[in-house]
Amino acid sequence: MKLKKPAQAAAGFPALISTARHILREMSPTRGFRILAKMNQKAGFDCPGCAWPDPAQKRSSLGEYCENGAKAIAEEATTKKITLEFFQKYSVTELSQQSDFWLSQQGRLTQPMLLKPESVHYQPISWQQAFALIGTELKSLDSPNEAVFYTSGRTSNEAAFLYQLFVRMYGTNNMPDCSNMCHESSGTGLSQTLGIGKGSVTLEDFDQAEVIIVAGQNPGTNHPRMLTALQKAKEKGARIISINPLAETGLVRFQNPQDFRHYLNGGIHLTDIFLQVKINEDVTLLKALMKILYEKEKKSPGKVFDLEFIQKNTQGFEDFLKELENYSLEDLITKCGVSKEKIEETAKLLTDTKRIILCWAMGLTQHKNGVANVRECVNLLLLKGSIGKPGAGTCPVRGHSNVQGDRTMGIWEKPPAAFLDKLSEVFDFQAPRKPGYNTVEAIQAMAEGKARVFIALGGNFLSATPDTEFTAKALQNCQLTVQISTKLNRSHLIHGQKALILPCLGRTEIDLQKSGLQFQTVENSMGFVHATQGHIQPASTHLLSEPAIVAGIAQATLGNTASVNWAELTENYDRIRDKIAQVIPGFENYHEKVKNGEGFYLPNAPRVGKFNTPDQKAHFSLNPLPENPLQEGEYLMMTIRSHDQFNTTIYGLNDRYRGIYNERRVVLMNPEDIKAAKLEKLQAVDLTSHYEGEIRTAQHFLIIPYEIPRQCVATYFPEANVLIPLQHFADQSHTPASKSVVIRMKAV
């Protein structure tokens, strides 16, 4: 392990070197250049990483991608392959003993594989045999509700729509997805207050914003292309406020690799005001900020708050102010950990500002009060009238490339009645109405034997979910687990009595069906739908597309009906898009809108100053202060990503921006806390969490002194997921509270 000082700027020349190193590790320079040239271009393929939008018109000829996007492509387009000989060489037990990084480096999966009961090696199986096995298992269940159908955010709109159609025709709404684990709190909070569970801004709004607030988010690692948007906004006069327990490099200074000026001047300083809040004290900080604004408003009525907007478009304003008056500013400042001077400086900046964009990610959503965090963000924007105008609005930044599109397509355990009504009408069946299992409920159901078949369309379920040991036992309790994947991961090795690995095409690969070359579509974080089409030969002739795999399972389970011929739908994806257009509002003339590299925005009422709540008003909300009581020797832990990972995929063992190299089992800790606990730098400790009489332990973590508030610590996931109890989740949204886990430490 090596420690260095945290990087002073994000991206720049080091990002170019890292990009080249990862590409060349997986393929030839010619292949790498050819693939990257098509990435995020109108006639190319969409990055399988984050959901940050592409520029609407002109795109960079040098490359419309970031370092971590290039890493994702290197992983997918690698020339390394996992063949039959690999599975003959390694037993499942032997593979289980390898690290997640090692597993991801073995290459692309190339053919369907079956693990039989009592067997120690995966064995080859034909596609038809695999589909028949799944169909037999599903039809043998006493109830469709004994099956769970998980979805990753990488799945295309076409595959997601077919998947939810099959699952509902089968008879259940058991469709947990990765939204449950990240931005479900955003969708819940935004739906309650603004009437839609999506953000309201477009990429163009960043060019017109006066202030951009980035809360609970680390764009330098998780959404690097966002830094370019922040750079452009800053150059046009916008001020940037960062709210985070860690001073992340990407929000301090940015060196745009495509801007020659940045190599000469060291890049652009992005953050104007950094508010280093304690973990999960964002509501407290926002209340302190709004309380100061309220005092200013009382002295100059109508000069600070947008009263015309509030009176015309909102409900609950008076109750909100009455509740705000109950708090002491001094108490709020003490509790949140941010100095009064910093909060007053922020309030002064916001006083005369109307065009405010508020961005956030899992630093706000993955808490017990995650929904309240989101609603409090909306309160601030409503006070300023910063909704429904250019340069203003909500911006939840999604962490997976089509997680928002999956939900639009109906991947949801509790879909609205109107969607089910239309689905039933178009496909002539009665869609189930009983809410299905979300992710937390699905794990509990498998553990209790209520769910006996688990199918995952993408993702790494075990590593992504909380309470790792409990989740592992739940999966092992199933009679069949199915993983539709491109690469080997931990979820292939923790399995049911029988297990299938079904390898699928990646985003970069040519998808040739009976009618010819196909493209698919995705929806970005700002509600823009566009095409994605691969350009390289598939890693294996045995690979099928995700729509083809879903159709094969559906055919084997349900057969054709008068309204659904599964094979015909996948022969030409325009037919799938025609069906989507019949079911989902906003998709009229769908395939015509996305041909030739074009796309379209979906309807978004708050974007135009309207609200699809029952009373057609935006709603102020009352959100209590978070409760994070800590005893002596306890710390509040949040899980974070390193710079060498995306979600559960580990690209390497370095966190360049934080100066941590060759190690992931680390705990970032305030130096004063280290001293008070009589611990030392790089000392090994076991971390334990104590919930409802149960003790969970994560062994052998090394202490890293870091600039983080007192009694707050940070660890990487998935290494620390074992500490997160399954029952520790956000109110209403059930999002696992991975960012606020009470732990203790014990020296090894």
Side-chain angles (χ1 to χ4, degrees):
M1 180 182 178
K2 295 181 181 179
L3 289 181
K4 298 181 181 179
K5 289 184 178 181
Q8 298 302 302
F13 193 64
L16 295 178
I17 295 174
S18 176
T19 295
R21 185 175 67 249
H22 281 271
I23 290 292
L24 295 178
R25 186 176 69 187
E26 305 295 341
M27 66 194 76
S28 70
T30 302
R31 177 182 174 90
F33 177 80
R34 184 160 56 92
I35 293 171
L36 290 176
K38 291 290 185 180
M39 188 173 177
N40 294 325
Q41 301 294 342
K42 286 191 175 182
F45 62 91
D46 194 63
C47 176
C50 79
W52 189 255
D54 306 313
Q57 300 301 325
K58 182 177 174 57
R59 303 194 183 176
S60 172
S61 58
L62 295 177
E64 195 62 58
Y65 55 86
C66 67
E67 174 190 350
N68 277 4
K71 291 176 183 176
I73 290 308
E75 290 275 314
E76 179 181 299
T78 179
T79 54
K80 300 174 185 176
K81 298 179 182 181
I82 293 179
T83 61
L84 173 60
E85 290 72 25
F86 175 90
F87 286 110
Q88 291 174 335
K89 179 180 179 180
Y90 295 105
S91 69
V92 172
T93 299
E94 290 171 328
L95 291 173
S96 299
Q97 295 169 351
Q98 299 292 342
S99 69
D100 290 344
F101 175 59
W102 186 92
L103 293 174
S104 71
Q105 292 303 301
Q106 300 313 300
R108 287 289 299 277
L109 296 163
T110 56
Q111 64 186 104
M113 303 298 294
L114 168 67
L115 185 66
K116 297 179 180 179
E118 310 304 325
S119 177
V120 297
H121 289 269
Y122 272 100
Q123 301 171 7
I125 185 174
S126 73
W127 279 107
Q128 290 307 312
Q129 289 173 325
F131 293 151
L133 173 60
I134 297 170
T136 298
E137 293 285 349
L138 289 175
K139 288 185 285 188
S140 72
L141 298 177
D142 294 334
S143 164
N145 292 320
E146 292 182 341
V148 170
F149 300 87
Y150 176 74
T151 316
S152 161
R154 184 181 61 82
T155 303
S156 71
N157 288 338
E158 290 77 6
F161 184 81
L162 276 193
Y163 194 48
Q164 66 82 31
L165 174 64
F166 154 61
V167 172
R168 291 194 167 100
M169 294 190 81
Y170 174 65
T172 185
N173 283 313
N174 286 348
M175 279 180 278
D177 74 324
C178 56
S179 283
N180 295 153
M181 292 182 285
C182 51
H183 269 291
E184 198 69 59
S185 296
S186 296
T188 302
L190 290 172
S191 295
Q192 292 173 353
T193 55
L194 302 179
I196 186 173
K198 302 179 181 182
S200 65
V201 301
T202 68
L203 188 58
E204 290 71 29
D205 283 314
F206 279 74
D207 294 335
Q208 303 177 63
E210 296 175 289
V211 170
I212 300 170
I213 302 174
V214 183
Q217 184 194 357
N218 176 17
T221 288
N222 302 330
H223 318 94
R225 286 199 299 152
M226 181 180 175
L227 298 181
T228 302
L230 294 177
Q231 172 198 340
K232 292 178 179 178
K234 191 71 182 290
E235 291 172 343
K236 291 185 176 182
R239 305 288 297 278
I240 297 175
I241 301 168
S242 301
I243 302 174
N244 206 47
L246 297 174
E248 301 289 15
T249 299
L251 283 169
V252 176
R253 183 175 291 276
F254 172 49
Q255 290 181 325
N256 189 334
Q258 298 188 26
D259 191 330
F260 180 73
R261 298 170 301 169
H262 287 195
Y263 292 100
L264 300 177
N265 62 20
I268 184 171
H269 192 88
L270 292 179
T271 295
D272 295 284
I273 302 175
F274 173 46
L275 305 176
Q276 191 169 26
V277 67
K278 292 179 181 178
I279 292 175
N280 195 26
E281 292 292 352
D282 303 274
V283 165
T284 311
L285 172 60
L286 290 170
K287 285 189 186 299
L289 181 59
M290 290 186 288
K291 192 168 183 67
I292 295 175
L293 291 175
Y294 183 28
E295 294 304 316
K296 290 176 176 286
E297 169 67 19
K298 286 191 287 188
K299 294 177 181 178
S300 304
K303 301 295 184 181
V304 180
F305 294 167
D306 190 335
L307 296 180
E308 180 181 356
F309 172 88
I310 291 170
Q311 293 167 2
K312 179 181 178 182
N313 296 289
T314 73
Q315 290 283 2
F317 177 56
E318 296 299 332
D319 289 339
F320 169 79
L321 293 182
K322 183 178 180 180
E323 194 256 359
L324 191 61
E325 289 178 336
N326 293 332
Y327 297 101
S328 158
L329 178 60
E330 288 69 25
D331 290 345
L332 294 172
I333 291 172
T334 300
K335 182 172 169 56
C336 75
V338 180
S339 71
K340 184 176 183 180
E341 293 73 22
K342 284 284 186 181
I343 297 175
E344 288 179 336
E345 181 185 3
T346 305
K348 182 179 180 181
L349 177 60
L350 295 180
T351 296
D352 299 321
T353 301
K354 298 294 184 183
R355 299 196 304 275
I356 304 168
I357 293 176
L358 208 163
C359 311
W360 69 88
M362 273 94 81
L364 262 62
T365 63
Q366 291 182 326
H367 300 280
K368 189 176 190 304
N369 51 294
V371 174
N373 286 341
V374 172
R375 298 193 313 189
E376 200 72 3
C377 290
V378 173
N379 282 340
L380 174 60
L381 294 175
L382 293 180
L383 287 177
K384 299 297 298 180
S386 293
I387 298 279
K389 64 178 60 172
T394 57
C395 184
V397 185
R398 310 286 176 169
H400 220 321
S401 60
N402 197 41
V403 63
Q404 188 158 295
D406 285 353
R407 181 57 56 88
T408 302
M409 292 297 107
I411 300 293
W412 198 3
E413 76 279 359
K414 47 182 180 182
F419 174 85
L420 295 178
D421 290 343
K422 197 65 178 178
L423 194 71
S424 299
E425 175 189 332
V426 171
F427 291 98
D428 193 25
F429 80 111
Q430 289 300 314
R433 304 290 165 147
K434 179 183 177 181
Y437 296 134
N438 59 33
T439 296
V440 169
E441 293 164 341
I443 295 169
Q444 191 68 51
M446 289 187 287
E448 295 174 359
K450 296 178 181 178
R452 297 189 288 151
V453 172
F454 175 83
I455 300 176
L457 183 57
N460 181 358
F461 187 79
L462 177 66
S463 294
T465 50
D467 218 339
T468 309
E469 292 183 7
F470 185 89
T471 301
K473 292 176 182 177
L475 288 168
Q476 292 169 330
N477 209 29
C478 293
Q479 62 190 44
L480 173 68
T481 53
V482 181
Q483 305 288 338
I484 301 170
S485 311
T486 58
K487 301 285 293 291
L488 190 65
N489 66 52
R490 187 69 53 191
S491 294
H492 301 126
L493 312 177
I494 305 297
H495 50 78
Q497 297 170 29
K498 287 176 277 190
L500 282 168
I501 298 175
L502 304 183
C504 64
L505 293 173
R507 288 267 180 91
T508 56
E509 293 172 318
I510 294 171
D511 185 353
L512 193 62
Q513 300 297 331
K514 188 172 182 179
S515 68
L517 187 64
Q518 303 297 309
F519 69 87
Q520 298 186 59
T521 60
V522 293
E523 178 186 343
N524 67 33
S525 191
M526 296 178 182
F528 188 78
V529 179
H530 60 98
T532 176
Q533 185 172 43
H535 287 264
I536 63 174
Q537 291 298 320
S540 166
T541 57
H542 297 293
L543 302 184
L544 294 182
S545 71
E546 287 182 326
I549 294 173
V550 172
I553 296 173
Q555 177 69 44
T557 307
L558 304 176
N560 292 330
T561 66
S563 61
V564 183
N565 183 310
W566 301 102
E568 283 187 359
L569 284 176
T570 55
E571 288 172 1
N572 186 329
Y573 298 165
D574 281 353
R575 295 169 185 167
I576 304 175
R577 288 186 279 272
D578 284 339
K579 294 297 185 180
I580 293 172
Q582 292 179 45
V583 174
I584 304 175
F587 284 86
E588 296 78 12
N589 301 316
Y590 186 7
H591 61 264
E592 294 298 328
K593 291 179 180 178
V594 293
K595 282 185 175 179
N596 303 316
E598 299 304 319
F600 61 98
Y601 278 106
L602 291 173
N604 188 304
R607 185 172 291 162
V608 294
K610 299 183 183 299
F611 306 98
N612 290 332
T613 55
D615 58 7
Q616 304 297 297
K617 300 283 188 179
H619 285 240
F620 282 92
S621 57
L622 306 182
N623 305 298
L625 297 181
E627 297 181 4
N628 303 303
L630 295 173
Q631 304 299 320
E632 184 177 353
E634 291 184 338
Y635 306 89
L636 196 61
M637 181 195 79
M638 64 178 183
T639 59
I640 58 176
R641 295 177 187 169
S642 78
H643 193 61
D644 256 355
Q645 76 178 102
F646 181 76
N647 290 345
T648 58
T649 302
I650 311 300
Y651 301 132
L653 301 178
N654 298 333
D655 195 347
R656 187 173 79 245
Y657 292 165
R658 299 189 183 104
I660 302 169
Y661 293 80
N662 303 323
E663 183 57 74
R664 291 185 53 82
R665 298 186 75 83
V666 297
V667 52
L668 277 56
M669 190 174 181
N670 185 288
E672 293 300 317
D673 283 338
I674 297 174
K675 182 179 179 180
K678 298 181 180 180
L679 298 170
E680 297 180 0
K681 175 182 177 180
L682 297 183
Q683 184 172 355
V685 294
D686 289 344
L687 311 180
T688 58
S689 63
H690 304 248
Y691 281 86
E692 298 182 0
E694 296 182 341
I695 299 177
R696 294 166 174 80
T697 303
Q699 297 179 330
H700 207 275
F701 279 63
L702 303 181
I703 294 175
I704 306 295
Y706 211 83
E707 185 184 346
I708 187 170
R710 295 290 303 270
Q711 284 194 282
C712 297
V713 298
T715 56
Y716 297 134
F717 78 88
E719 285 80 2
N721 284 8
V722 67
L723 297 170
I724 306 167
L726 186 68
Q727 65 270 29
H728 184 48
F729 50 74
D731 297 332
Q732 302 182 65
S733 70
H734 277 213
T735 299
S738 307
K739 296 288 189 288
S740 53
V741 182
V742 178
I743 67 164
R744 289 181 173 271
M745 298 185 193
K746 180 181 179 181
V748 175

